[in-house]
Amino acid sequence: MGLKELSEDIVREFKFKGYNKEIDRWVYGGYFKDCNGYNIVQYDHIRNQLNFWTVEDDSFCQFTGLYDQNCREIYTGDILIVYNRAGDIICPAAEVVFSDELCGYRIMGTSSIEFDNALSKTEYSYKIIHNDLHEKNQKE
């Protein structure tokens, strides 16, 4: 494996999103947590300023760095169909969660089929089928 391929595997975009009731939409960016809960920080390039948005705690989620078959970003909390390389469904419904044990993302499947449940962009493909957190107020 060359340096270019290695660096592409290591580089990951850290992005978070959450729902802000005041402006009635999803906001994206970095985050911090304070006594008010989760806050998304966005840089406004046009106004050259930082924007801070307090978001609903139950809507806060992190981008995994992966995309589904329809080029949609996969976030924690998403419910996925998992396919193997041949295109066969190996798990019809799996939730994306963060695993402290792995220091990464894990798929918690509801299927009896055994598979490596760490998110992988080379072994599996995915299709987002549902996310209550993201769809309850989806205004994107």
Side-chain angles (χ1 to χ4, degrees):
M1 176 180 291
L3 185 57
K4 184 177 188 307
E5 291 85 9
L6 180 61
S7 65
E8 287 175 358
D9 286 342
I10 295 172
V11 174
R12 188 164 98 60
E13 180 180 8
F14 289 95
K15 182 166 53 172
F16 302 85
K17 77 175 183 176
Y19 186 77
N20 179 280
K21 281 186 177 180
E22 291 178 33
I23 60 172
D24 194 28
R25 69 181 178 99
W26 288 89
V27 291
Y28 299 80
Y31 91 98
F32 67 93
K33 188 174 181 181
D34 63 12
C35 61
N36 295 318
Y38 290 101
N39 299 273
I40 300 292
V41 181
Q42 291 179 326
Y43 179 70
D44 183 336
H45 295 279
I46 295 170
R47 294 188 179 100
N48 194 28
Q49 69 183 23
L50 287 177
N51 296 319
F52 301 91
W53 308 99
T54 300
V55 298
E56 301 299 305
D57 283 354
D58 67 347
S59 74
F60 177 77
C61 49
Q62 183 176 6
F63 177 47
T64 64
L66 296 176
Y67 296 84
D68 80 349
Q69 295 174 340
N70 297 316
C71 298
R72 292 174 53 195
E73 295 175 337
I74 298 176
Y75 283 83
T76 53
D78 283 341
I79 308 299
L80 311 172
I81 297 173
V82 182
Y83 301 89
N84 63 16
R85 285 184 179 177
D88 302 318
I89 293 174
I90 59 169
C91 189
E95 181 178 3
V96 179
V97 297
F98 186 81
S99 167
D100 290 329
E101 177 185 321
L102 290 176
C103 291
Y105 301 98
R106 171 170 273 173
I107 301 171
M108 302 302 289
T110 58
S111 172
S112 60
I113 299 171
E114 292 291 323
F115 68 99
D116 176 9
N117 62 359
L119 276 176
S120 168
K121 66 181 177 181
T122 57
E123 296 297 318
Y124 308 112
S125 62
Y126 312 96
K127 181 177 179 184
I128 298 171
I129 56 173
H130 186 69
N131 189 318
D132 286 336
L133 294 180
H134 308 170
E135 293 174 4
K136 71 177 181 177
N137 293 310
Q138 191 77 346
K139 302 286 183 186
E140 298 180 297

